[in-house]
Amino acid sequence: MGLTIYLGSKLGEWLDIKFNNDDQLYYKIVTLVSVFIAIFMVIRQVINLTNKE
């Protein structure tokens, strides 16, 4: 979960630098999307674990 969020924030930083965005818009959006992806992955793993039992 942490790795997904970390990589998302690094991608957002890179996009902000590449497209010369001073507001850190890409950083905020990509980090938020990566948080949602990480939460979704954890929830899906918990559901799979509970269904196997």
Side-chain angles (χ1 to χ4, degrees), residues 6-40:
Y6 175 75
L7 292 176
S9 67
K10 287 299 179 183
L11 175 63
E13 283 181 23
W14 179 77
L15 288 172
D16 280 332
I17 292 169
K18 181 165 178 67
F19 295 112
N20 198 18
N21 189 357
D22 295 331
D23 296 333
Q24 292 184 334
L25 183 64
Y26 292 116
Y27 174 77
K28 294 172 185 174
I29 291 173
V30 175
T31 302
L32 186 61
V33 168
S34 66
V35 167
F36 285 126
I37 290 171
I39 290 172
F40 174 76

Side-chain angles (χ1 to χ4, degrees), residues 41-53:
M41 289 172 30
V42 168
I43 290 172
R44 191 176 65 183
Q45 288 174 357
V46 168
I47 289 172
N48 285 342
L49 285 174
T50 57
N51 285 340
K52 288 182 181 179
E53 293 179 1

